[in-house]
Amino acid sequence: MLTLTEIQNRAFMAIGPARIAALSLLVLMNKEHSEKAQVARQLSIDRVTAAHDMLGTKLPEMLKASNHNLPAMLEQQRQACFEALSPLIEVLKDPGKAQSPDFSDHCLYHLEPLVSSFLKEMTEHLMESQKELEVERQADMLKAIANAEVVGKNIQLIAFNASIEAARIGDLGKGFTVIASEIRDLSGKTQKFLDNISGLLRT
């Protein structure tokens, strides 16, 4: 499962280039037919398509797999960005639409600020959410270690009592005394191991 930071990075890398790609398409569509222009045009097409896919399906799927939901306002921004990229997908099917003044205004004054705002808000939200998850995970680990420490102390006490009982039996209890001693030593080593982990988590 991806962390929220990894999701943020993947989404940013897929969506961010679409802003420049949109402007490139605006300039390149039906303007130049050189090999260099065709390569640049295809790169822009690939970037717009990748951003559209990320906003439409991949980002929601990654978030769902990580059991995370965007806040309502940020989810609305995601949908708005997806819808704002849809006219570009239509232009890829019909390049003639790129000549429309409405398309130019859409790329320059609607799409770019919308996507930029979403990327900023998404990055801040996912990074902060990941920090909160790490704090919660650390607290859970410390709690688990504390529980293990209690169990370890109980094992030491049981082993100590077992060695006392074995001593009372005499020669018949010698073998059991050795086993109880080994259990007590292992429990002590485990206790030190847990203490070390606990110290690392608290620093």
Side-chain angles (χ1 to χ4, degrees), residues 78-96:
R78 180 193 67 78
Q79 292 176 357
C81 288
F82 175 73
E83 292 169 3
L85 274 173
S86 295
L88 273 74
I89 300 299
E90 292 301 316
V91 164
L92 301 182
K93 298 174 184 176
D94 183 4

Side-chain angles (χ1 to χ4, degrees), residues 3-200:
T3 67
L4 295 182
T5 301
E6 290 170 333
I7 292 173
Q8 178 264 315
N9 288 336
R10 291 190 182 190
F12 194 98
M13 293 301 293
I15 299 168
R19 295 171 294 177
I20 296 175
L23 300 179
S24 297
L25 281 175
L26 186 61
V27 172
L28 292 169
M29 281 294 186
N30 297 326
K31 292 289 177 84
E32 289 187 59
H33 299 285
S34 67
E35 184 178 345
K36 189 175 181 180
Q38 289 176 3
V39 170
R41 187 183 300 116
Q42 187 58 52
L43 179 60
S44 295
I45 289 170
D46 292 343
R47 286 174 171 174
V48 168
T49 303
H52 194 255
D53 291 344
M54 177 59 71
L55 285 164
T57 57
K58 292 183 179 179
L59 179 55
E61 286 174 357
M62 287 189 295
L63 290 170
K64 184 178 180 181
S66 295
N67 298 315
H68 186 80
N69 294 315
L70 295 177
M73 186 175 294
L74 195 52
E75 175 61 19
Q76 289 174 0
Q77 283 184 279
R78 180 193 67 78
Q79 292 176 357
C81 288
F82 175 73
E83 292 169 3
L85 274 173
S86 295
L88 273 74
I89 300 299
E90 292 301 316
V91 164
L92 301 182
K93 298 174 184 176
D94 183 4
K97 293 181 179 180
Q99 307 304 317
S100 166
D102 290 340
F103 181 73
S104 299
D105 289 345
H106 178 79
C107 291
L108 290 168
Y109 305 116
H110 182 65
L111 176 66
E112 202 286 330
L114 192 64
V115 170
S116 295
S117 176
F118 172 72
L119 289 174
K120 177 178 179 294
E121 298 291 336
M122 178 198 68
T123 298
E124 291 176 354
H125 167 73
L126 291 181
M127 289 181 69
E128 186 61 33
S129 296
Q130 183 62 39
K131 287 179 182 178
E132 291 174 0
L133 285 174
E134 288 171 358
V135 169
E136 290 176 7
R137 187 176 293 115
Q138 183 173 344
D140 290 342
M141 291 175 70
L142 287 171
K143 184 177 179 180
I145 288 172
N147 291 335
E149 287 173 340
V150 171
V151 172
K153 289 176 181 177
N154 288 336
I155 291 173
Q156 283 184 316
L157 184 59
I158 291 169
F160 180 71
N161 289 335
S163 62
I164 291 174
E165 291 300 320
R168 287 180 182 173
I169 297 172
D171 290 340
L172 294 175
K174 284 182 180 179
F176 193 69
T177 300
V178 173
I179 295 172
S181 178
E182 288 293 329
I183 292 173
R184 189 166 61 250
D185 289 344
L186 286 173
S187 179
K189 290 177 182 178
T190 303
Q191 188 72 39
K192 289 180 181 179
F193 181 64
L194 291 170
D195 288 342
N196 289 337
I197 295 176
S198 180
L200 288 171

